Amino acid sequence: MKIETWFNTEEIKRFYFPGRIFVGPGVFLRAITLCSDHGGPVVVVADQVVHDMPFVSEALSALSGKIAGTFLVRGAPIAQEVKDFVRTLHEPPAVILVIGGGSATDFAKAVVAMFLFGTIDAVGLRGNTPRSNAGSKPVLVSVPTTAGSGAEASRYYVAYDRVDHHKVFGKSWQLVADWIMLDPVFLKSMPDGILVSCAFDAFVHLFETLICRHERSRIGEMFSLYGIGHIMDALSKAIYGGERSDEVYATLMEIATLGGVAISNVRTGNIHEAAGALLELTDLSHAETL
């Protein structure tokens, strides 16, 4: 059975996820140790702002002898920049460490797609299923710094053409992060407005999974109902109760990741399709278009 092309029907159901998820204070440093212990060179993809944080820079210094390349993401992932960055690497790295939100994560997944499929344009879409080169697949270690897109757990990725800003995108289960390390330390300085915006992004993933007609499954419903309730509870504690704690942050990050898992098991619905079209025509963020 080709798991890449199979979706649920009303009669036959499946729910799939190939990654590993760790949640809690200190797992960022465990991600660094994981990269350090892995044989071979490491490539770092990071949000510019996050990369410049003193504790992040200090942690990355432990990998200085193994880092074969670094790309700092300053906005939406650009398809040409993905290809240019891959050309600077003489061989596939053993590990790609991505530290950042959805844009950095999608950039890193597109880099993996280049090594794995030789392209990032419509991988797994419209019948385009290029042969993978599994032997050259780097291990993808993801350290999300927001709690919204769930990109680390999603098989979908999106980049944009530099010239006309059209989407360059695809999907594959092989692009889900192998290791997902959710450390609440990254949410401590996040303003209320951005925290709510990210949570709404995660909510839509769970909501679309819940209401899809033919591809819904009991496991998907479990993720959605659990996630929607807990994300609202955590937001209420953070925004109205002023409870800015590791427990609240960890809950928001965990639910966002579960949203990425859930939405990957169905085809995205009308909310995402409409938001995607709006995103290409405006300067709004993904959460704002949703």
Side-chain angles (χ1 to χ4, degrees), residues 27-51:
V27 297
F28 168 52
L29 295 180
R30 291 180 181 268
I32 299 295
T33 301
L34 182 67
C35 295
S36 179
D37 291 345
H38 204 286
V42 177
V43 161
V44 176
V45 175
D47 283 335
Q48 172 76 70
V49 174
V50 175
H51 183 269

Side-chain angles (χ1 to χ4, degrees), residues 116-133:
L116 199 55
F117 303 112
T119 182
I120 61 172
D121 191 10
V123 168
L125 300 172
R126 299 188 291 274
N128 179 20
T129 53
R131 180 180 300 175
S132 69
N133 183 11

Side-chain angles (χ1 to χ4, degrees), residues 33-164:
T33 301
L34 182 67
C35 295
S36 179
D37 291 345
H38 204 286
V42 177
V43 161
V44 176
V45 175
D47 283 335
Q48 172 76 70
V49 174
V50 175
H51 183 269
D52 293 341
M53 292 179 175
F55 78 94
V56 173
S57 300
E58 182 180 351
L60 288 174
S61 66
L63 298 175
S64 59
K66 299 191 66 173
I67 295 178
T70 299
F71 188 90
L72 302 182
V73 179
R74 297 174 177 85
I78 302 300
Q80 289 89 342
E81 291 181 352
V82 172
K83 296 174 183 177
D84 290 344
F85 179 61
V86 170
R87 291 190 192 100
T88 67
L89 305 173
H90 301 296
E91 60 181 352
V95 181
I96 295 179
L97 171 63
V98 53
I99 309 170
S103 292
T105 305
D106 274 3
F107 188 99
K109 290 195 291 186
V111 171
V112 175
M114 281 296 296
F115 284 118
L116 199 55
F117 303 112
T119 182
I120 61 172
D121 191 10
V123 168
L125 300 172
R126 299 188 291 274
N128 179 20
T129 53
R131 180 180 300 175
S132 69
N133 183 11
S136 63
K137 180 185 182 300
V139 173
L140 182 57
V141 179
S142 178
V143 181
T145 59
T146 60
S149 71
E152 64 281 352
S154 168
R155 60 171 163 160
Y156 303 104
Y157 65 89
V158 177
Y160 296 90
D161 184 86
R162 181 187 286 124
V163 179
D164 60 10

